[in-house]
Amino acid sequence: MPTLILVRHGRSTANTAGVLAGRTPGVALDERGAAQAAALPGRLAGLPLAAAVSSPLQRCRETLRPLLAARPELELHTEERISECDYGDWSGRKLAELADEPLMGVVQQHPSAAAFPGGESMRGMQARAVDAVRDWNARIEAGHGEDAVYVMCSHGDIIKALVADALGMHLDLFQRIHADPCSVTAIRYTRLRPFLLRLGDTGDLAALAPREHPGAAEPGARPAADADAAVGGGAGAP
């Protein structure tokens, strides 16, 4: 089955403002995020991508724009099921303010029981994202073969939830996973199990190419620094 290249969107204006954007419209990449997006085509240059799939939100579409410009043959597909978690009444609020909400402890320690007021549950978020990936794996394999590689641009909590599923982890452990803005997480799906090849990688990615496309040495990944997970994904390195 295919290899999935999960890209978190570049740093956004909400990330730097410390705001939980959710699905709030008009959240764009900031200057650093635009630079991260501009570097993405070079980082993925060694990979023969079969397709590009994006969350419908602006910051994800902006992240993929330079890649699509560099590869005009690459078809873009929009997938609603990998959109940001619907944080409901929490959307647009400061993360510092949300830290005092009783629900935040549940989000951190028992996310499988967390449901955002006026929004969705974290369980529901994971289920829809996993279903989307399974459907796209089948579609890409049918059209491009089992060794195909494709890219999907989504959001921090979505990517963490997909990694938890790939590792067979309970959702209650997914806050131990971290993905910086414009980082790449790669999952190779097989008939029996997925393999996590990269997690939150911000370096060169040529080594992820199929064997007939020799790649470079493996870079490392930067671990999260905070004790609590950054809901929505955080702003990455300064």
Side-chain angles (χ1 to χ4, degrees):
M1 296 180 71
T3 297
L4 171 61
I5 307 297
L6 281 164
V7 178
R8 186 182 167 206
H9 62 79
R11 196 173 76 176
S12 73
T13 53
N15 293 146
T16 47
V19 169
L20 185 63
R23 299 180 181 181
T24 305
V27 176
L29 299 184
D30 68 5
E31 185 176 351
R32 180 176 177 83
Q36 291 169 334
L40 190 60
R43 295 173 61 206
L44 299 180
L47 303 183
L49 298 174
V53 184
S54 179
S55 157
L57 295 182
Q58 177 179 342
R59 53 197 183 272
C60 288
R61 291 186 284 109
E62 289 181 349
T63 298
L64 288 183
R65 191 172 294 158
L67 178 64
L68 296 171
R71 300 198 192 191
E73 78 286 355
L74 196 59
E75 187 176 0
L76 177 65
H77 306 270
T78 300
E79 174 56 72
E80 297 282 347
R81 292 175 295 176
I82 61 166
S83 187
E84 178 65 283
C85 183
D86 184 355
Y87 296 116
D89 297 344
W90 278 27
S91 300
R93 293 177 61 187
K94 288 279 191 180
L95 288 164
E97 170 189 322
L98 291 170
D100 295 328
E101 293 279 355
L103 179 60
M104 183 59 85
V106 182
V107 170
Q108 292 291 330
Q109 303 297 332
H110 191 19
S112 66
F116 296 98
E120 70 178 329
S121 69
M122 301 199 89
R123 246 181 13 263
M125 174 200 73
Q126 183 185 45
R128 63 172 166 82
V130 169
D131 284 347
V133 166
R134 301 286 166 83
D135 289 347
W136 276 102
N137 283 348
R139 181 172 174 177
I140 295 296
E141 182 177 5
H144 302 275
E146 64 180 11
D147 291 327
V149 181
Y150 72 107
V151 64
M152 179 177 281
C153 188
S154 188
H155 307 269
D157 280 349
I158 295 287
I159 292 170
K160 289 162 55 178
L162 289 169
V163 170
D165 172 75
L167 292 177
M169 290 170 54
H170 197 283
L171 184 61
D172 285 345
L173 301 178
F174 102 127
Q175 298 290 26
R176 303 181 183 194
I177 300 165
H178 183 77
D180 273 341
C182 222
S183 63
V184 166
T185 293
I187 303 171
R188 168 68 176 168
Y189 288 87
T190 74
R191 298 296 176 189
L192 298 180
R193 65 180 66 84
F195 292 89
L196 181 65
L197 306 179
R198 293 288 191 282
L199 176 60
D201 198 320
T202 56
D204 180 78
L205 298 159
L208 292 174
R211 290 183 181 178
E212 63 268 27
H213 299 273
E218 293 185 12
R222 189 182 73 83
D226 297 327
D228 281 344
V231 179

